[in-house]
Amino acid sequence: MHKINLSQPTTSLRHKIALLIFSILLFIILTEVGLRLGGLIILSLQEHRNQLSIRQKGTYRILCLGESTTAEQWPPFLEEMLNQHKTGTKFSVIDDGIPSVTTSIILERIESNINKYHPNIVVTMMGINDWGTYIPYEIVTTYKTMRLFTSCRIYKLTRLLWLHILTKAKEKGIYQSREDKWRLSKIQTYLSEIQLKEAYAETVLNEDTLKKAIELNPKNEDLYLELGWLYRSQDMPSLAEDLFKKAIELNPKNDRAYVELGWAYLRQGKFPQSEEAFGRAVELNPKNDNACVQLGWFYRKQGKLKQAEDLFKKAIKLNPKNDSAYYGLGWLYLEQEGKLKQAEDLFKKAIKLNPKND
């Protein structure tokens, strides 16, 4: 006979799993409470300093709004630097940055902040959290659970750490995004065409690589476009302009190059040249829906509403799946009296076509 020791209680697998889940939930709740309590303390201290700043009379008051890139970051240095110059005006800088908020939240609070602090000027730095937290969740989905989950501090902290890990991995060459892989495959294809695939197969797409490829194959218009796009991503329109012009010189019928050249001109405030470049792109390829969208945006900014509307509609007709065309036409109608419903329908259509378009 086997003896059963009744003095030692047995724990079933189900109980162990339940205990593990309870422990994880308790950890999450305590961490969330700690993060929110810490944030509340920081904001309380910040509010106390802001109230002291308000009481200073005869000062030029600057209100700084933003997220974690503003809160406890540059506003104190701004006040110190401004007052160091001793211009005869005393500057008071109010830091109302709140970590983890999005642009929509900042804009919702801006009127109450102005009424509260009565600033002479408002400086905002925002947008960094819009990309990371995907604003469309609040627009596209009706799931309250998802909105509640993404509003948790522990979720935002975890996502911030994950993005930091990805960034470091990308810097060390361990990780590549889908876009990086696509661009790398393109440059490797270019290089393979000139018998250099083996030599540059493992290189990353960067300025030096593209310049080397251009040196080896100076008549490849795509290489100039690629380097121009690289400069465009770094907001260097004048350098991008020269490369887009070179691509056009190699192929005067390259409508994509004219679209990019129009963008480069627009970023530099060269409006007549920009209009001419966009128009040339549409002329070369009347079926280029992106060229129509770009020219439409240009006309909208110039106040040429009828021309802009015609181009957005033409882009939609050419490509009914071009969400940018619906978005552009929606903005056009949003600014016109009596067309709010039409604007709403167009924005909804754009979101339906591209749910990730924040």
Side-chain angles (χ1 to χ4, degrees):
M1 294 181 63
H2 297 285
K3 292 183 178 180
I4 301 176
N5 190 350
L6 299 177
S7 61
Q8 296 181 352
T10 58
T11 304
S12 67
L13 179 61
R14 183 180 299 176
H15 288 162
K16 290 180 179 178
I17 294 174
L19 185 61
L20 177 62
I21 293 173
F22 174 76
S23 301
I24 293 172
L25 288 175
L26 182 62
F27 170 77
I28 291 173
I29 292 171
L30 290 175
T31 305
E32 180 71 17
V33 171
L35 289 170
R36 288 183 179 271
L37 183 60
L40 182 62
I41 293 172
I42 292 172
L43 289 175
S44 298
L45 292 173
Q46 181 176 284
E47 177 64 18
H48 175 68
R49 288 193 295 270
N50 288 341
Q51 291 300 328
L52 291 176
S53 179
I54 288 174
R55 296 190 188 103
Q56 298 179 31
K57 296 183 179 180
T59 61
Y60 190 89
R61 190 172 298 156
I62 302 173
L63 173 61
C64 301
L65 305 177
E67 318 104 332
S68 57
T69 52
T70 297
E72 303 290 333
Q73 300 297 320
W74 53 271
F77 299 102
L78 176 62
E79 181 175 282
E80 181 182 350
M81 292 175 67
L82 288 172
N83 287 318
Q84 277 179 354
H85 288 284
K86 297 180 180 179
T87 58
T89 301
K90 184 172 177 58
F91 292 92
S92 173
V93 177
I94 301 169
D95 178 3
D96 200 57
I98 303 176
S100 301
V101 299
T102 58
T103 297
S104 58
I105 294 175
I106 294 171
L107 294 177
E108 286 173 5
R109 300 177 70 251
I110 195 166
E111 186 174 351
S112 61
N113 276 324
I114 290 174
N115 293 333
K116 181 179 181 180
Y117 297 118
H118 303 288
N120 297 98
I121 190 172
V122 178
V123 180
T124 64
M125 185 165 74
M126 53 194 179
I128 193 170
N129 291 323
D130 295 347
W131 176 262
T133 53
Y134 293 102
I135 287 177
Y137 274 131
E138 300 178 10
I139 302 173
V140 178
T141 181
T142 57
Y143 297 120
K144 294 182 179 179
T145 306
M146 177 61 72
R147 294 202 297 269
L148 178 64
F149 174 71
T150 55
S151 67
C152 292
R153 298 295 187 272
I154 192 168
Y155 163 79
K156 293 180 178 180
L157 177 62
T158 303
R159 198 174 197 291
L160 181 64
L161 291 173
W162 175 243
L163 289 173
H164 178 73
I165 292 170
L166 287 182
T167 301
K168 291 296 182 183
K170 191 173 181 180
E171 289 176 356
K172 294 180 179 180
I174 300 173
Y175 167 80
Q176 286 182 330
S177 66
R178 184 184 301 176
E179 183 178 355
D180 290 336
K181 291 178 180 178
W182 177 76
R183 289 184 174 275
L184 179 58
S185 67
K186 286 192 70 176
I187 189 62
Q188 288 176 343
T189 301
Y190 297 145
L191 293 170
S192 67
E193 291 175 356
I194 47 179
Q195 288 79 44
L196 286 173
K197 180 178 180 180
E198 184 176 350
Y200 289 91
E202 295 182 1
T203 189
V204 295
L205 180 62
N206 55 35
E207 184 179 3
D208 292 337
T209 302
L210 285 166
K211 285 182 176 179
K212 179 65 176 177
I214 290 173
E215 181 183 338
L216 294 165
N217 190 1
K219 293 187 179 181
N220 189 324
E221 64 192 88
D222 289 330
L223 287 173
Y224 293 98
L225 277 176
E226 195 71 39
L227 185 55
W229 287 327
L230 183 64
Y231 287 144
R232 171 178 177 169
S233 67
Q234 298 172 358
D235 200 18
M236 302 166 69
S238 60
L239 292 177
E241 175 190 340
D242 295 336
L243 290 157
F244 296 141
K245 284 181 177 178
K246 183 63 178 179
I248 291 171
E249 181 183 328
L250 291 169
N251 181 8
K253 294 184 179 181
N254 191 328
D255 55 297
R256 292 185 302 127
Y258 275 104
V259 172
E260 298 300 334
L261 181 60
W263 169 87
Y265 282 142
L266 190 61
R267 293 292 294 177
Q268 298 175 80
K270 300 177 180 179
F271 300 120
Q273 297 94 320
S274 180
E275 181 179 8
E276 183 181 352
F278 286 137
R280 181 61 176 155
V282 175
E283 181 184 338
L284 285 169
N285 184 4
K287 294 184 178 181
N288 187 330
D289 52 302
N290 286 322
C292 293
V293 170
Q294 294 294 338
L295 186 56
W297 275 106
F298 176 83
Y299 281 144
R300 172 184 163 264
K301 291 180 179 179
Q302 297 296 310
K304 300 176 180 179
L305 304 185
K306 183 62 174 67
Q307 294 97 316
E309 180 179 6
D310 291 342
L311 283 161
F312 287 134
K313 287 182 176 179
K314 181 180 179 180
I316 292 171
K317 186 176 181 180
L318 290 169
N319 182 7
K321 295 184 178 181
N322 189 328
D323 61 294
S324 296
Y326 292 97
Y327 174 66
L329 188 57
W331 263 108
L332 191 68
Y333 286 158
L334 185 65
E335 297 168 339
Q336 297 180 42
E337 188 176 351
K339 293 190 176 182
L340 288 178
K341 183 62 174 66
Q342 292 169 269
E344 179 184 355
D345 293 340
L346 288 161
F347 288 139
K348 286 181 177 178
K349 180 66 176 179
I351 291 170
K352 185 177 180 181
L353 288 169
N354 184 6
K356 292 185 177 181
N357 187 335
D358 56 320

